[in-house]
Amino acid sequence: SARPVIFSGMQPSADSLHLGNYLGALVNWVALQDDSDPIYCVVDLHAITVAQEPKALRENVRRTAAQYLAAGVDLERSTLFVQSHVPAHAELAWVLSTITGFGEASRMTQFKDKSSKQGADATTVGLFTYPVLMAADILLYGTDAVPVGDDQRQHLELTRDLATRFNSRYGQTFTVPEALIPKASARIYDLQDPSSKMSKSATSEAGLVKLLDDPSVTAKKFKSAMTDTGREVRYDRDEKPGISNLLDIYSAVTGRPVAEIEGEYAGRGYGDFKKDLAELVVDRLAPIRARTLELMADPAELDRLLAIGADKAAARAEVKLREVYDRVGF
Ligand code: ADP
Ligand code: NA
């Protein structure tokens, strides 16, 4: 098709996506459907690079897919599937691993960070080869562009290097994908610790806004969000990181510029601002939560939709894998 192919995915490694995943990624995914050919994946093969409880993983795969749909991923325009349903991902990853340098993979900073925290014995080879699997995910579909955050930049560079290397060794096979940096990319921080990115791996959930939290819980998290000394609703990343994060969220949810919001709350305290923001976020997330729960209540229907997505993805991926196997001499 003439529309650019986009590939993106999230790991089903938590019981709910969070506001950072939504404002930083999903909103953009939904917008991209207008003029691209997007492939959105629940990357469960990636998730098992750290230990997962099987029953929870099975549930979280469905929940993650349901949240994509509830946020607006549209099956008429996007391909939505679960990574482990399409064996070509693991198969291509193996081939790519044979053209990846051990030293090259060892330089991935995310692996270095994670493995140094865990220690060598707790670190799996799967975590080490994670970026090679990510390269396979992207290259199987002739992906033109990949929406990436800073933390995945180096992995996308590796993907580009592997595509170029394979092409020069075996002949033109892979499209070399570009990074897609969203125009207004919202980076959301923890409501209790505004120096840390909001993350499912946060040690406390007090500052983690989950899409599937009960609305009363979401409101409470906003009302008790960490703010800074002073009482002015003013954007200052260094001096007022708490308020600045809340202003970014307000702006992302309403589409209004930060300066306009500052103006509206001039002379009013943090209390009003946090109360209004709580309401805005609750109103935005409530239908997504409700739709997710509806989808989760009919697992057979959800599985049917995911099976259709897997067939669509597999049909495309297998063509590329055959081509690769042919090039390699299989
Ligand atoms: P987490 O950090 O919670 O493990 P992931 O690394 O699985 O989240 O990220 C999934 C997607 O959500 C990625 O596209 C990532 O850039 C985006 N994302 C994650 N956390 C945030 C955040 N705090 N702010 C903005 N975007 C985020
Ligand atoms: Na992460």
Side-chain angles (χ1 to χ4, degrees):
S1 87
R3 296 182 304 161
V5 178
I6 305 283
F7 184 95
S8 201
M10 292 191 212
Q11 294 188 45
S13 49
D15 62 1
S16 173
L17 297 179
H18 57 73
L19 190 64
N21 299 139
Y22 177 65
L23 295 176
L26 277 176
V27 166
N28 186 40
W29 287 13
V30 171
L32 284 168
Q33 298 178 123
D34 293 337
D35 41 26
S36 68
D37 171 15
I39 301 172
Y40 296 132
C41 188
V42 177
V43 291
D44 57 347
L45 296 176
H46 285 282
I48 63 165
T49 57
V50 296
Q52 302 289 333
E53 202 278 301
K55 197 161 163 265
L57 179 62
R58 190 168 291 120
E59 178 81 358
N60 291 341
V61 165
R62 286 205 185 100
R63 274 172 187 251
T64 303
Q67 288 169 96
Y68 290 0
L69 290 167
V73 168
D74 164 14
L75 299 179
E76 296 293 319
R77 293 179 292 163
S78 294
T79 302
L80 163 64
F81 73 105
V82 178
Q83 190 183 26
S84 65
H85 296 177
V86 179
H89 289 251
E91 294 180 71
L92 180 60
W94 177 257
V95 174
L96 294 177
S97 78
T98 67
I99 63 161
T100 306
F102 181 77
E104 184 177 40
S106 304
R107 285 191 290 277
M108 295 296 118
T109 57
Q110 195 172 87
F111 174 76
K112 287 198 284 187
D113 289 349
K114 288 188 179 170
S115 59
S116 71
K117 274 182 207 144
Q118 297 174 350
D121 287 336
T123 297
T124 66
V125 172
L127 188 68
F128 183 66
T129 57
Y130 179 115
V132 179
L133 178 59
M134 179 175 151
D137 299 339
I138 295 166
L139 298 179
L140 271 176
Y141 299 95
T143 301
D144 296 292
V146 184
V148 277
D150 288 344
D151 51 344
Q152 294 297 328
R153 279 265 187 169
Q154 195 187 24
H155 293 166
L156 185 65
E157 271 314 307
L158 178 70
T159 301
R160 293 168 50 83
D161 289 345
L162 294 177
T164 307
R165 189 173 306 155
F166 190 97
N167 289 346
S168 66
R169 191 170 300 181
Y170 294 108
Q172 178 58 39
T173 307
F174 293 125
T175 302
V176 181
E178 303 288 339
L180 188 76
I181 313 295
K183 277 174 228 116
S185 122
R187 167 144 292 223
I188 307 302
Y189 294 85
D190 191 280
L191 297 194
Q192 290 302 327
D193 173 13
S195 63
S196 305
K197 181 180 95 108
M198 186 174 287
S199 170
K200 60 171 134 39
S201 41
T203 45
S204 153
E205 291 199 352
L208 176 66
V209 180
K210 294 176 160 192
L211 300 194
L212 303 183
D213 273 341
D214 188 88
S216 66
V217 172
T218 304
K220 192 151 169 272
K221 285 177 178 174
F222 274 95
K223 287 177 192 161
S224 52
M226 209 275 264
T227 41
D228 321 275
T229 53
R231 32 174 63 112
E232 265 175 284
V233 178
R234 185 170 47 78
Y235 198 92
D236 182 339
R237 264 269 151 233
D238 298 325
E239 300 296 324
K240 293 160 81 75
I243 283 292
S244 301
N245 184 40
L246 297 181
L247 277 164
D248 277 335
I249 295 172
Y250 198 121
S251 172
V253 169
T254 57
R256 292 170 57 195
V258 165
E260 190 183 305
I261 302 161
E262 287 174 325
E264 184 178 330
Y265 289 93
R268 296 162 67 190
Y270 290 165
D272 274 4
F273 172 67
K274 292 202 308 191
K275 189 169 149 291
D276 291 352
L277 178 58
E279 240 174 72
L280 284 166
V281 175
V282 163
D283 287 352
R284 181 67 171 267
L285 298 187
I288 297 173
R289 175 173 183 269
R291 180 68 186 132
T292 303
L293 297 181
E294 217 173 82
L295 288 159
M296 291 297 293
D298 191 352
E301 174 61 8
L302 189 52
D303 289 350
R304 189 186 69 84
L305 297 176
L306 291 173
I308 294 171
D311 286 345
K312 271 172 73 181
R316 294 168 72 163
E318 274 161 25
V319 172
K320 185 59 73 182
L321 185 70
R322 288 300 128 211
E323 198 183 329
V324 168
Y325 277 5
D326 184 57
R327 295 279 191 198
V328 168
F330 291 163

